[in-house]
Amino acid sequence: MYHCNVCFYLSGCQSKMVEIIKHMAPLANFSHEFVESPDFDQTYIAKADVIILDVQEADAKQMVNDFLLYRKKDAQLILIAGKEQITFLDESLSALKDIWPPEMSEQEIGFRFLRWQQNNKMEKDFWLTNNYFESTINSIPHLVWYKDKDGVHKKVNESFCNAVGKSMEQIEGRGHFYIWDIEPDEYAKGEFICMESEYEVMEKGETCVFDETVKIGDSMRELKTYKSPLFDLDGSVMGTLGVADDVTQERIYERMIITNANTDFLTGLFNRRYLYRYIEEGEGMPFAMYYIDLDNFKSLNDKFGHHEGDRALTTTANTLKESMPDAVIARVGGDEFLIVELGEYEPEEIEQRRKWLEGKLEQVYEQDEMLRTISASIGSVYAEAGNTAFDTLLGEADSFMYREKKRKKQRKMTEEKA
Protein backbone atom coordinates (compact mmCIF):
# COMPACT_ATOMS: atom_id res chain seq x y z
CA MET A 1 0.00 0.00 0.00
CA TYR A 2 2.84 2.40 0.80
CA HIS A 3 5.50 3.59 -1.68
CA CYS A 4 9.01 4.43 -0.61
CA ASN A 5 11.63 6.14 -2.77
CA VAL A 6 15.14 5.61 -1.41
CA CYS A 7 17.93 8.02 -2.30
CA PHE A 8 21.40 6.43 -2.12
CA TYR A 9 24.61 8.42 -1.87
CA LEU A 10 27.66 6.36 -2.79
CA SER A 11 30.87 8.09 -1.75
CA GLY A 12 34.29 6.79 -2.78
CA CYS A 13 32.89 3.39 -3.76
CA GLN A 14 34.52 1.15 -6.36
CA SER A 15 32.91 1.32 -9.79
CA LYS A 16 32.19 -2.43 -9.73
CA MET A 17 30.11 -2.09 -6.57
CA VAL A 18 28.33 0.98 -7.88
CA GLU A 19 27.29 -0.77 -11.07
CA ILE A 20 26.08 -3.89 -9.30
CA ILE A 21 23.98 -1.95 -6.78
CA LYS A 22 22.52 0.42 -9.38
CA HIS A 23 21.41 -2.45 -11.61
CA MET A 24 19.70 -4.49 -8.88
CA ALA A 25 15.90 -4.20 -9.07
CA PRO A 26 14.17 -2.60 -6.06
CA LEU A 27 11.70 -4.72 -4.10
CA ALA A 28 7.94 -4.23 -4.29
CA ASN A 29 6.73 -0.81 -3.08
CA PHE A 30 10.23 0.71 -3.49
CA SER A 31 12.07 2.81 -6.04
CA HIS A 32 15.76 3.75 -6.00
CA GLU A 33 17.60 6.96 -6.80
CA PHE A 34 21.43 7.14 -6.89
CA VAL A 35 23.91 9.98 -6.53
CA GLU A 36 27.65 9.49 -6.24
CA SER A 37 30.88 11.39 -5.81
CA PRO A 38 34.47 10.45 -5.05
CA ASP A 39 34.77 12.94 -2.20
CA PHE A 40 32.76 14.40 0.65
CA ASP A 41 29.69 16.33 -0.61
CA GLN A 42 27.54 18.00 2.02
CA THR A 43 24.60 18.57 -0.38
CA TYR A 44 24.37 14.88 -1.28
CA ILE A 45 24.70 13.83 2.35
CA ALA A 46 21.77 16.04 3.41
CA LYS A 47 19.58 14.56 0.68
CA ALA A 48 20.40 10.87 1.01
CA ASP A 49 18.34 8.23 2.84
CA VAL A 50 21.20 5.73 2.68
CA ILE A 51 24.89 6.59 2.56
CA ILE A 52 27.39 3.96 1.42
CA LEU A 53 30.79 5.27 2.41
CA ASP A 54 34.17 3.76 1.47
CA VAL A 55 36.85 4.88 3.97
CA GLN A 56 39.71 2.55 3.01
CA GLU A 57 42.09 5.38 2.10
CA ALA A 58 40.88 8.07 4.52
CA ASP A 59 40.59 8.98 8.16
CA ALA A 60 37.66 6.70 8.93
CA LYS A 61 36.77 8.28 12.27
CA GLN A 62 36.77 11.85 10.92
CA MET A 63 34.78 10.94 7.84
CA VAL A 64 32.17 9.03 9.81
CA ASN A 65 31.79 11.95 12.22
CA ASP A 66 31.38 14.39 9.32
CA PHE A 67 28.77 12.21 7.63
CA LEU A 68 26.86 11.75 10.89
CA LEU A 69 26.93 15.52 11.46
CA TYR A 70 25.44 16.51 8.10
CA ARG A 71 23.10 13.58 7.36
CA LYS A 72 19.36 14.05 7.64
CA LYS A 73 17.44 12.50 10.48
CA ASP A 74 17.14 8.70 10.33
CA ALA A 75 19.50 8.42 7.34
CA GLN A 76 21.40 5.11 7.39
CA LEU A 77 25.17 4.83 7.05
CA ILE A 78 26.81 1.72 5.59
CA LEU A 79 30.56 1.74 5.95
CA ILE A 80 33.05 -0.03 3.69
CA ALA A 81 36.11 -0.45 5.84
CA GLY A 82 38.83 -2.87 6.82
CA LYS A 83 39.58 -4.07 10.30
CA GLU A 84 42.23 -1.41 10.83
CA GLN A 85 39.70 1.41 10.13
CA ILE A 86 37.03 -0.15 12.35
CA THR A 87 39.41 -0.18 15.30
CA PHE A 88 39.41 3.65 15.47
CA LEU A 89 35.64 4.14 15.28
CA ASP A 90 34.87 3.39 18.94
CA GLU A 91 31.55 5.03 19.92
CA SER A 92 30.63 5.73 16.27
CA LEU A 93 30.00 2.03 15.65
CA SER A 94 26.52 2.17 17.19
CA ALA A 95 25.49 4.81 14.62
CA LEU A 96 26.28 2.55 11.66
CA LYS A 97 23.69 0.43 9.89
CA ASP A 98 26.24 -2.09 8.63
CA ILE A 99 29.93 -2.57 7.82
CA TRP A 100 30.95 -4.22 4.55
CA PRO A 101 34.44 -5.57 3.86
CA PRO A 102 36.46 -3.86 1.11
CA GLU A 103 37.08 -6.98 -0.95
CA MET A 104 33.83 -8.66 -2.04
CA SER A 105 32.86 -10.76 -5.02
CA GLU A 106 29.95 -9.75 -7.24
CA GLN A 107 27.80 -12.40 -5.55
CA GLU A 108 28.61 -11.08 -2.06
CA ILE A 109 27.91 -7.49 -3.09
CA GLY A 110 24.54 -8.59 -4.49
CA PHE A 111 23.80 -10.67 -1.39
CA ARG A 112 24.60 -7.86 1.04
CA PHE A 113 22.59 -5.26 -0.87
CA LEU A 114 19.62 -7.65 -1.21
CA ARG A 115 19.78 -8.37 2.50
CA TRP A 116 19.74 -4.63 3.22
CA GLN A 117 16.70 -4.26 0.94
CA GLN A 118 14.89 -7.09 2.71
CA ASN A 119 15.63 -5.70 6.15
CA ASN A 120 14.57 -2.23 5.05
CA LYS A 121 11.34 -3.61 3.59
CA MET A 122 10.69 -5.50 6.82
CA GLU A 123 11.03 -2.25 8.76
CA LYS A 124 8.65 -0.43 6.43
CA ASP A 125 6.18 -3.33 6.51
CA PHE A 126 6.33 -3.21 10.29
CA TRP A 127 5.70 0.53 10.14
CA LEU A 128 2.67 -0.06 7.91
CA THR A 129 1.30 -2.79 10.16
CA ASN A 130 1.80 -0.62 13.22
CA ASN A 131 0.14 2.28 11.39
CA TYR A 132 -2.85 0.06 10.60
CA PHE A 133 -2.97 -1.09 14.20
CA GLU A 134 -2.69 2.35 15.80
CA SER A 135 -5.20 3.91 13.39
CA THR A 136 -7.68 1.10 14.02
CA ILE A 137 -7.65 0.97 17.81
CA ASN A 138 -7.56 4.76 18.19
CA SER A 139 -10.45 5.41 15.81
CA ILE A 140 -12.98 3.07 17.44
CA PRO A 141 -15.17 4.16 20.38
CA HIS A 142 -14.48 0.95 22.32
CA LEU A 143 -11.94 0.74 25.13
CA VAL A 144 -8.95 -1.42 24.14
CA TRP A 145 -6.15 -2.58 26.43
CA TYR A 146 -3.33 -5.11 26.59
CA LYS A 147 -2.14 -6.48 29.94
CA ASP A 148 0.58 -8.82 31.08
CA LYS A 149 -0.09 -11.71 33.45
CA ASP A 150 0.23 -9.44 36.47
CA GLY A 151 -2.44 -7.05 35.23
CA VAL A 152 -0.01 -4.31 34.17
CA HIS A 153 -1.31 -2.31 31.21
CA LYS A 154 1.21 -2.55 28.37
CA LYS A 155 -0.82 -0.64 25.80
CA VAL A 156 -4.20 1.14 25.63
CA ASN A 157 -6.10 3.15 23.03
CA GLU A 158 -7.34 6.75 23.14
CA SER A 159 -10.89 5.75 24.11
CA PHE A 160 -9.46 4.02 27.18
CA CYS A 161 -7.51 7.16 28.07
CA ASN A 162 -10.61 9.32 27.67
CA ALA A 163 -12.63 6.97 29.87
CA VAL A 164 -10.22 7.05 32.81
CA GLY A 165 -9.04 10.64 32.29
CA LYS A 166 -5.35 9.79 32.02
CA SER A 167 -2.75 9.93 29.25
CA MET A 168 -1.14 6.87 27.66
CA GLU A 169 2.12 7.75 29.40
CA GLN A 170 0.34 7.71 32.75
CA ILE A 171 -1.46 4.44 32.05
CA GLU A 172 1.04 2.19 30.31
CA GLY A 173 3.13 0.29 32.81
CA ARG A 174 0.60 0.75 35.64
CA GLY A 175 -1.91 -1.58 37.31
CA HIS A 176 -5.68 -1.25 37.47
CA PHE A 177 -5.86 0.23 40.99
CA TYR A 178 -3.95 3.34 39.91
CA ILE A 179 -5.65 3.62 36.53
CA TRP A 180 -9.20 3.42 37.87
CA ASP A 181 -8.41 5.43 41.04
CA ILE A 182 -9.53 2.65 43.36
CA GLU A 183 -7.89 1.72 46.63
CA PRO A 184 -7.33 -2.04 47.12
CA ASP A 185 -9.59 -2.09 50.18
CA GLU A 186 -12.32 -0.31 48.22
CA TYR A 187 -11.97 -2.85 45.42
CA ALA A 188 -12.34 -5.68 47.93
CA LYS A 189 -15.74 -4.31 49.00
CA GLY A 190 -17.23 -4.04 45.50
CA GLU A 191 -17.08 -5.14 41.89
CA PHE A 192 -15.59 -2.04 40.33
CA ILE A 193 -12.95 -3.86 38.28
CA CYS A 194 -13.24 -7.59 37.74
CA MET A 195 -9.63 -8.83 37.79
CA GLU A 196 -11.06 -12.28 38.37
CA SER A 197 -12.24 -12.29 34.77
CA GLU A 198 -8.64 -11.78 33.58
CA TYR A 199 -7.56 -14.88 35.47
CA GLU A 200 -10.48 -16.83 34.05
CA VAL A 201 -9.50 -15.91 30.48
CA MET A 202 -5.85 -16.89 31.04
CA GLU A 203 -6.89 -20.15 32.67
CA LYS A 204 -9.34 -21.12 29.91
CA GLY A 205 -7.10 -19.88 27.11
CA GLU A 206 -10.05 -18.59 25.08
CA THR A 207 -12.11 -15.47 24.51
CA CYS A 208 -14.73 -14.80 27.18
CA VAL A 209 -17.49 -12.17 27.42
CA PHE A 210 -18.33 -10.39 30.67
CA ASP A 211 -20.70 -7.76 32.01
CA GLU A 212 -18.61 -5.64 34.34
CA THR A 213 -19.16 -2.53 36.43
CA VAL A 214 -16.35 -0.01 36.77
CA LYS A 215 -16.00 3.15 38.80
CA ILE A 216 -14.91 6.15 36.75
CA GLY A 217 -14.56 9.20 38.94
CA ASP A 218 -17.70 9.38 41.05
CA SER A 219 -19.91 7.46 38.63
CA MET A 220 -20.43 3.79 37.94
CA ARG A 221 -20.25 2.57 34.34
CA GLU A 222 -21.48 -0.68 32.85
CA LEU A 223 -19.13 -2.37 30.38
CA LYS A 224 -19.62 -5.29 28.02
CA THR A 225 -16.09 -6.69 27.84
CA TYR A 226 -14.53 -9.18 25.45
CA LYS A 227 -11.28 -10.60 26.81
CA SER A 228 -8.86 -12.87 24.98
CA PRO A 229 -5.58 -14.51 26.00
CA LEU A 230 -2.27 -13.36 24.51
CA PHE A 231 0.16 -16.17 23.80
CA ASP A 232 3.96 -16.08 24.10
CA LEU A 233 6.40 -17.58 21.57
CA ASP A 234 6.36 -20.90 23.42
CA GLY A 235 2.56 -21.05 23.42
CA SER A 236 2.12 -20.11 27.07
CA VAL A 237 -0.26 -17.30 28.07
CA MET A 238 1.61 -14.04 28.62
CA GLY A 239 -1.33 -11.69 29.19
CA THR A 240 -4.74 -10.60 27.96
CA LEU A 241 -6.36 -8.38 25.37
CA GLY A 242 -9.51 -6.56 26.41
CA VAL A 243 -12.13 -4.76 24.33
CA ALA A 244 -14.97 -3.05 26.17
CA ASP A 245 -18.13 -1.32 25.07
CA ASP A 246 -19.48 1.26 27.52
CA VAL A 247 -23.14 0.26 27.51
CA THR A 248 -24.18 2.55 30.37
CA GLN A 249 -26.14 4.89 28.10
CA GLU A 250 -27.44 1.97 26.06
CA ARG A 251 -28.75 0.36 29.25
CA ILE A 252 -30.45 3.63 30.14
CA TYR A 253 -32.05 3.82 26.68
CA GLU A 254 -32.99 0.16 26.90
CA ARG A 255 -34.69 0.67 30.24
CA MET A 256 -36.44 3.76 28.88
CA ILE A 257 -37.75 1.80 25.88
CA ILE A 258 -38.97 -1.03 28.11
CA THR A 259 -40.56 1.45 30.50
CA ASN A 260 -42.26 3.39 27.70
CA ALA A 261 -43.53 0.17 26.14
CA ASN A 262 -45.07 -1.01 29.40
CA THR A 263 -46.30 2.15 31.10
CA ASP A 264 -48.88 4.85 30.59
CA PHE A 265 -47.23 8.18 29.77
CA LEU A 266 -49.64 10.37 31.75
CA THR A 267 -50.02 8.45 35.01
CA GLY A 268 -46.84 6.37 35.10
CA LEU A 269 -48.95 3.25 35.73
CA PHE A 270 -48.53 0.05 33.78
CA ASN A 271 -50.52 -0.38 30.59
CA ARG A 272 -52.79 -3.21 29.42
CA ARG A 273 -49.95 -4.88 27.53
CA TYR A 274 -47.82 -5.23 30.64
CA LEU A 275 -50.74 -6.42 32.73
CA TYR A 276 -51.51 -9.25 30.31
CA ARG A 277 -47.88 -10.38 30.37
CA TYR A 278 -47.77 -10.13 34.15
CA ILE A 279 -50.74 -12.47 34.46
CA GLU A 280 -49.24 -14.88 31.93
CA GLU A 281 -45.96 -14.99 33.84
CA GLY A 282 -47.86 -15.61 37.09
CA GLU A 283 -48.00 -19.28 36.02
CA GLY A 284 -51.53 -19.94 37.20
CA MET A 285 -51.28 -18.27 40.60
CA PRO A 286 -54.60 -17.12 42.11
CA PHE A 287 -55.28 -13.38 42.13
CA ALA A 288 -57.88 -10.73 42.89
CA MET A 289 -58.78 -8.13 40.28
CA TYR A 290 -60.38 -4.71 40.77
CA TYR A 291 -61.81 -2.83 37.77
CA ILE A 292 -62.17 0.94 38.35
CA ASP A 293 -64.10 3.44 36.22
CA LEU A 294 -64.51 7.13 36.98
CA ASP A 295 -68.07 8.46 37.16
CA ASN A 296 -68.88 11.80 35.51
CA PHE A 297 -65.38 12.02 34.04
CA LYS A 298 -66.66 13.20 30.64
CA SER A 299 -68.63 16.01 32.28
CA LEU A 300 -65.50 17.14 34.13
CA ASN A 301 -63.53 17.19 30.87
CA ASP A 302 -66.26 19.05 28.98
CA LYS A 303 -66.82 21.63 31.70
CA PHE A 304 -63.28 22.36 32.91
CA GLY A 305 -61.08 21.14 30.04
CA HIS A 306 -58.60 18.32 29.51
CA HIS A 307 -56.15 19.81 31.98
CA GLU A 308 -58.51 19.07 34.87
CA GLY A 309 -59.35 15.72 33.32
CA ASP A 310 -55.67 14.79 33.28
CA ARG A 311 -55.34 15.95 36.86
CA ALA A 312 -58.23 13.70 37.86
CA LEU A 313 -56.47 10.74 36.24
CA THR A 314 -53.10 11.44 37.88
CA THR A 315 -54.76 12.02 41.26
CA THR A 316 -56.55 8.68 40.91
CA ALA A 317 -53.33 6.91 39.88
CA ASN A 318 -51.36 8.35 42.81
CA THR A 319 -54.09 7.39 45.27
CA LEU A 320 -54.18 3.82 43.95
CA LYS A 321 -50.39 3.50 44.19
CA GLU A 322 -50.35 4.84 47.75
CA SER A 323 -53.28 2.67 48.82
CA MET A 324 -52.09 -0.60 47.27
CA PRO A 325 -48.27 -0.34 46.95
CA ASP A 326 -47.76 -4.11 46.50
CA ALA A 327 -50.33 -4.52 43.72
CA VAL A 328 -49.86 -4.23 39.96
CA ILE A 329 -51.88 -1.22 38.80
CA ALA A 330 -52.59 -0.36 35.19
CA ARG A 331 -54.47 2.26 33.25
CA VAL A 332 -56.37 0.27 30.60
CA GLY A 333 -58.53 2.97 29.04
CA GLY A 334 -59.33 6.67 29.12
CA ASP A 335 -60.64 6.68 32.69
CA GLU A 336 -60.41 2.97 33.46
CA PHE A 337 -57.94 1.29 35.80
CA LEU A 338 -57.15 -2.31 36.73
CA ILE A 339 -55.56 -3.61 39.90
CA VAL A 340 -54.23 -7.16 40.24
CA GLU A 341 -53.10 -8.67 43.52
CA LEU A 342 -51.55 -12.13 43.42
CA GLY A 343 -52.46 -14.45 46.28
CA GLU A 344 -55.36 -16.31 47.88
CA TYR A 345 -58.28 -14.22 49.17
CA GLU A 346 -61.68 -14.94 50.69
CA PRO A 347 -64.74 -13.36 48.96
CA GLU A 348 -65.47 -11.30 52.06
CA GLU A 349 -61.91 -9.99 52.10
CA ILE A 350 -62.10 -8.91 48.45
CA GLU A 351 -65.45 -7.16 48.94
CA GLN A 352 -64.18 -5.38 52.03
CA ARG A 353 -61.11 -4.24 50.14
CA ARG A 354 -63.20 -3.08 47.17
CA LYS A 355 -65.41 -0.90 49.35
CA TRP A 356 -62.41 0.47 51.25
CA LEU A 357 -60.71 1.49 48.01
CA GLU A 358 -63.89 3.09 46.68
CA GLY A 359 -64.21 5.11 49.88
CA LYS A 360 -60.54 6.10 49.76
CA LEU A 361 -60.93 7.56 46.28
CA GLU A 362 -64.14 9.40 47.12
CA GLN A 363 -62.43 10.91 50.15
CA VAL A 364 -59.59 12.23 47.96
CA TYR A 365 -62.03 13.66 45.38
CA GLU A 366 -64.11 15.35 48.07
CA GLN A 367 -61.05 17.24 49.34
CA ASP A 368 -60.45 18.77 45.89
CA GLU A 369 -62.95 21.45 44.87
CA MET A 370 -62.56 20.74 41.14
CA LEU A 371 -62.85 16.95 41.52
CA ARG A 372 -65.90 16.79 43.77
CA THR A 373 -68.16 16.08 40.81
CA ILE A 374 -66.50 12.71 40.05
CA SER A 375 -66.47 9.38 41.89
CA ALA A 376 -65.22 5.88 41.26
CA SER A 377 -67.14 2.66 40.60
CA ILE A 378 -65.23 -0.53 41.28
CA GLY A 379 -65.94 -4.09 40.25
CA SER A 380 -64.00 -7.06 41.60
CA VAL A 381 -63.44 -10.70 40.74
CA TYR A 382 -61.29 -13.55 42.01
CA ALA A 383 -59.42 -16.17 39.99
CA GLU A 384 -58.77 -19.41 41.83
CA ALA A 385 -55.43 -20.86 40.79
CA GLY A 386 -55.66 -18.94 37.52
CA ASN A 387 -57.96 -21.46 35.85
CA THR A 388 -60.17 -18.82 34.25
CA ALA A 389 -59.08 -16.92 31.14
CA PHE A 390 -58.02 -13.37 31.84
CA ASP A 391 -60.44 -11.85 29.31
CA THR A 392 -63.33 -13.72 30.94
CA LEU A 393 -62.34 -12.39 34.36
CA LEU A 394 -62.01 -8.93 32.91
CA GLY A 395 -65.54 -9.17 31.55
CA GLU A 396 -66.88 -10.29 34.94
CA ALA A 397 -65.12 -7.45 36.76
CA ASP A 398 -66.42 -5.00 34.13
CA SER A 399 -70.00 -6.24 34.59
CA PHE A 400 -69.65 -5.95 38.35
CA MET A 401 -68.37 -2.41 37.95
CA TYR A 402 -71.29 -1.37 35.73
CA ARG A 403 -73.77 -2.87 38.19
CA GLU A 404 -72.13 -0.83 40.90
CA LYS A 405 -72.24 2.29 38.71
CA LYS A 406 -75.97 1.70 38.03
CA ARG A 407 -76.68 1.11 41.72
CA LYS A 408 -74.96 4.35 42.69
CA LYS A 409 -76.87 6.27 40.04
CA GLN A 410 -80.22 4.90 41.23
CA ARG A 411 -79.35 5.74 44.82
CA LYS A 412 -78.50 9.30 43.83
CA MET A 413 -81.79 9.68 41.95
CA THR A 414 -83.68 8.40 44.99
CA GLU A 415 -81.91 10.86 47.24
CA GLU A 416 -82.69 13.74 44.87
CA LYS A 417 -86.43 12.87 44.78
CA ALA A 418 -86.55 12.70 48.54
Side-chain angles (χ1 to χ4, degrees):
M1 184 174 181
Y2 64 88
H3 178 77
C4 181
N5 180 67
V6 183
C7 179
F8 293 90
Y9 173 35
L10 296 88
S11 177
C13 297
Q14 298 176 14
S15 58
K16 179 181 70 171
M17 177 180 291
V18 172
E19 289 303 311
I20 293 173
I21 290 176
K22 290 174 69 173
H23 285 87
M24 287 185 67
L27 301 181
N29 303 325
F30 288 86
S31 60
H32 294 168
E33 176 186 353
F34 297 93
V35 292
E36 55 182 300
S37 69
D39 302 312
F40 182 93
D41 191 307
Q42 185 176 331
T43 303
Y44 289 161
I45 293 174
K47 178 182 178 183
D49 300 300
V50 180
I51 302 166
I52 301 178
L53 174 63
D54 191 329
V55 294
Q56 293 181 78
E57 299 179 0
D59 183 346
K61 186 173 183 179
Q62 184 60 49
M63 288 193 69
V64 169
N65 289 337
D66 289 342
F67 273 81
L68 293 177
L69 178 63
Y70 292 105
R71 69 170 179 172
K72 70 179 183 180
K73 183 181 179 181
D74 298 327
Q76 299 180 14
L77 177 58
I78 298 174
L79 199 64
I80 301 173
K83 293 180 180 179
E84 60 278 8
Q85 282 89 14
I86 297 174
T87 305
F88 298 103
L89 293 178
D90 300 328
E91 67 275 4
S92 300
L93 284 172
S94 61
L96 303 179
K97 183 65 177 179
D98 201 356
I99 300 176
W100 294 355
E103 300 298 329
M104 293 186 289
S105 66
E106 294 183 7
Q107 290 79 4
E108 186 176 356
I109 294 172
F111 169 77
R112 286 182 177 273
F113 188 65
L114 177 60
R115 186 174 63 178
W116 176 88
Q117 288 190 81
Q118 292 170 337
N119 289 336
N120 186 55
K121 186 176 187 305
M122 187 182 300
E123 292 176 2
K124 297 301 186 291
D125 288 348
F126 173 78
W127 167 85
L128 180 63
T129 301
N130 189 63
N131 194 21
Y132 286 158
F133 170 71
E134 293 286 348
S135 298
T136 299
I137 67 170
N138 288 318
S139 64
I140 61 176
H142 310 295
L143 283 67
V144 179
W145 65 90
Y146 298 83
K147 295 182 182 179
D148 65 15
K149 291 192 295 185
D150 299 320
V152 175
H153 292 70
K154 309 304 290 186
K155 186 171 185 59
V156 297
N157 71 340
E158 291 179 2
S159 292
F160 189 101
C161 296
N162 294 334
V164 301
K166 292 181 174 66
S167 67
M168 289 186 183
E169 291 75 17
Q170 291 174 308
I171 294 171
E172 292 173 358
R174 304 298 295 267
H176 66 278
F177 292 122
Y178 164 79
I179 292 169
W180 297 95
D181 296 321
I182 298 174
E183 296 296 330
D185 57 344
E186 184 182 9
Y187 169 77
K189 298 177 183 178
E191 297 180 354
F192 305 134
I193 299 287
C194 232
M195 274 297 293
E196 291 78 6
S197 62
E198 309 279 351
Y199 301 137
E200 181 179 340
V201 169
M202 289 188 284
E203 183 177 345
K204 289 183 176 179
E206 61 184 32
T207 299
C208 301
V209 183
F210 304 94
D211 289 310
E212 297 181 319
T213 302
V214 300
K215 185 179 181 183
I216 301 179
D218 296 327
S219 65
M220 303 299 293
R221 311 293 293 180
E222 296 180 46
L223 302 181
K224 173 73 74 174
T225 60
Y226 303 80
K227 298 184 178 181
S228 303
L230 295 173
F231 296 100
D232 207 339
L233 295 173
D234 61 0
S236 63
V237 176
M238 65 177 182
T240 57
L241 154 67
V243 179
D245 185 14
D246 187 343
V247 296
T248 307
Q249 195 60 44
E250 293 179 22
R251 293 283 189 264
I252 294 173
Y253 290 147
E254 186 178 285
R255 287 191 286 268
M256 288 175 58
I257 291 172
I258 293 173
T259 299
N260 292 337
N262 293 303
T263 57
D264 172 58
F265 176 77
L266 176 64
T267 63
L269 298 176
F270 292 114
N271 56 22
R272 183 188 294 265
R273 171 185 175 182
Y274 176 83
L275 192 63
Y276 271 74
R277 191 169 75 249
Y278 176 77
I279 295 300
E280 289 175 0
E281 294 175 353
E283 298 180 347
M285 291 183 62
F287 62 87
M289 179 192 298
Y290 301 90
Y291 199 131
I292 304 166
D293 182 82
L294 301 188
D295 306 321
N296 302 319
F297 179 74
K298 186 176 184 303
S299 298
L300 176 71
N301 252 338
D302 293 343
K303 185 175 181 179
F304 299 108
H306 289 288
H307 172 73
E308 287 301 322
D310 289 346
R311 196 167 68 83
L313 295 173
T314 54
T315 299
T316 302
N318 293 335
T319 304
L320 295 177
K321 286 188 285 187
E322 293 171 4
S323 302
M324 306 180 78
D326 297 326
V328 174
I329 308 171
R331 181 187 176 198
V332 295
D335 60 340
E336 298 173 343
F337 301 84
L338 266 180
I339 300 176
V340 171
E341 283 188 306
L342 296 179
E344 297 182 354
Y345 298 93
E346 295 296 330
E348 297 80 7
E349 186 180 3
I350 294 174
E351 176 61 14
Q352 183 181 23
R353 200 160 176 77
R354 184 191 71 80
K355 290 182 177 179
W356 170 80
L357 187 59
E358 193 173 81
K360 183 76 173 177
L361 288 168
E362 290 184 359
Q363 182 181 5
V364 171
Y365 300 148
E366 185 63 29
Q367 294 173 354
D368 192 308
E369 184 177 354
M370 300 296 292
L371 304 183
R372 287 176 182 174
T373 58
I374 65 171
S375 60
S377 294
I378 305 176
S380 61
V381 68
Y382 179 63
E384 294 184 358
N387 293 326
T388 307
F390 183 72
D391 287 334
T392 302
L393 294 168
L394 193 62
E396 292 178 10
D398 185 46
S399 298
F400 190 136
M401 180 270 295
Y402 275 105
R403 290 197 302 271
E404 182 66 14
K405 186 183 290 285
K406 184 177 180 181
R407 185 188 64 79
K408 289 168 65 178
K409 187 177 292 186
Q410 289 175 342
R411 185 183 66 184
K412 184 176 180 180
M413 290 174 61
T414 301
E415 291 174 352
E416 290 176 349
K417 288 180 180 180

